[in-house]
Amino acid sequence: EPEVTQTPSHQVTQMGQEVILRCVPISNHLYFYWYRQILGQKVEFLVSFYNNEISEKSEIFDDQFSVERPDGSNFTLKIRSTKLEDSAMYFCASVSGGVYEQYFGPGTRLTVT
Amino acid sequence: GENVEQHPSTLSVQEGDSAVIKCTYSDSASNYFPWYKQELGKRPQLIIDIRSNVGEKKDQRIAVTLNKTAKHFSLHITETQPEDSAVYFCAALLNRDDKIIFGKGTRLHILP
């Protein structure tokens, strides 16, 4: 069964550094999402992406964040200048058009020191 | 915007007993209500879902009920087993392809 994959599984970075989190959605899916989960808290929506543009973003997704689909398979989340409070698990998800169920990747744990 | 409230935050039940987790949502236009199970360090895993045109759905030991008038939905786990111990999240979506709005989660402990 096809799966969403994410790399790296764990990223440690220093405050102020840029990080890029990578996702490979399921190949025929059309809608892509990033979610964040701070340790012990709920999963929060960051951004959705469709047809090569952002379709919706949350208040969390400020100017320090950006997303890109640089080729036909990868979907990336960039944080330009990381802060301590960006430490969290970041999940990518994708869905084919016209259905409800989103498929989650295994997540990237980001630790900002 | 849409908000999902979930309670209790922690629930301990004796193995073999039933567990019930309750959620409410704010946007009456919500159409889809998934439930996720999350084990430590893992991704949320869809365990059951219900659409707004259905009042109840069952899958073996798990059932979900929806009251659209009251904007309530609940997860019921019967004959609980140790492997049911996890964090459970309710969620709501307005439409297909929409973002998922999660509740705060319920940590379920199954006591031996």
Side-chain angles (χ1 to χ4, degrees):
Chain A
E1 188 178 332
E3 284 193 336
V4 176
T5 59
Q6 289 185 243
T7 54
S9 56
H10 190 191
Q11 172 101 40
V12 181
T13 190
Q14 287 193 325
M15 196 167 52
Q17 294 297 303
E18 174 183 288
V19 294
I20 298 176
L21 310 183
R22 300 179 194 280
C23 169
V24 179
I26 295 173
S27 63
N28 63 342
H29 284 187
L30 301 174
Y31 295 81
F32 314 110
Y33 310 82
W34 283 102
Y35 294 89
R36 178 184 85 172
Q37 186 178 32
I38 295 170
L39 187 63
Q41 297 187 22
K42 68 176 179 180
V43 180
E44 299 174 289
F45 167 75
L46 290 179
V47 66
S48 57
F49 192 86
Y50 170 71
N51 202 25
N52 284 318
E53 60 183 26
I54 291 173
S55 45
E56 189 174 357
K57 58 184 180 179
S58 72
E59 292 173 352
I60 303 167
F61 194 89
D62 62 22
D63 292 345
Q64 292 301 310
F65 291 86
S66 62
V67 288
E68 209 175 38
R69 189 154 159 83
D71 53 43
S73 58
N74 290 284
F75 179 51
T76 62
L77 175 70
K78 183 195 288 188
I79 309 175
R80 267 180 264 284
S81 178
T82 50
K83 307 182 191 107
L84 293 175
E85 53 265 36
D86 293 327
S87 294
M89 185 76 107
Y90 289 80
F91 293 104
C92 171
S94 70
V95 66
S96 59
V99 298
Y100 286 104
E101 184 180 351
Q102 295 179 16
Y103 290 78
F104 282 82
T108 293
R109 179 168 299 285
L110 176 65
T111 303
V112 182
T113 61
Chain B
E2 172 72 286
N3 187 42
V4 176
E5 298 289 336
Q6 181 173 352
H7 60 96
S9 56
T10 307
L11 178 61
S12 296
V13 300
Q14 221 49 56
E15 184 179 346
D17 287 351
S18 296
V20 180
I21 302 170
K22 298 185 179 183
C23 291
T24 59
Y25 59 98
S26 60
D27 194 332
S28 56
S30 295
N31 274 318
Y32 176 68
F33 306 91
W35 286 87
Y36 294 89
K37 177 182 180 182
Q38 188 179 36
E39 295 173 348
L40 191 62
K42 301 284 180 68
R43 77 190 88 189
Q45 193 169 14
L46 180 69
I47 55 171
I48 196 167
D49 55 18
I50 191 166
R51 297 194 190 175
S52 60
N53 57 350
V54 175
E56 185 173 353
K57 184 177 177 181
K58 191 172 180 182
D59 182 4
Q60 299 182 350
R61 296 186 297 110
I62 296 173
V64 59
T65 58
L66 171 65
N67 182 331
K68 280 216 76 178
T69 305
K71 294 190 280 187
H72 290 174
F73 57 117
S74 301
L75 178 72
H76 305 250
I77 307 174
T78 58
E79 300 170 24
T80 52
Q81 298 169 4
E83 53 265 35
D84 295 331
S85 292
V87 179
Y88 291 81
F89 291 95
C90 62
L93 284 77
L94 286 174
N95 298 303
R96 292 181 177 86
D97 316 320
D98 202 1
K99 64 182 182 288
I100 301 171
I101 303 298
F102 287 85
K104 288 188 175 179
T106 296
R107 184 171 297 280
L108 177 63
H109 299 276
I110 306 301
L111 306 171

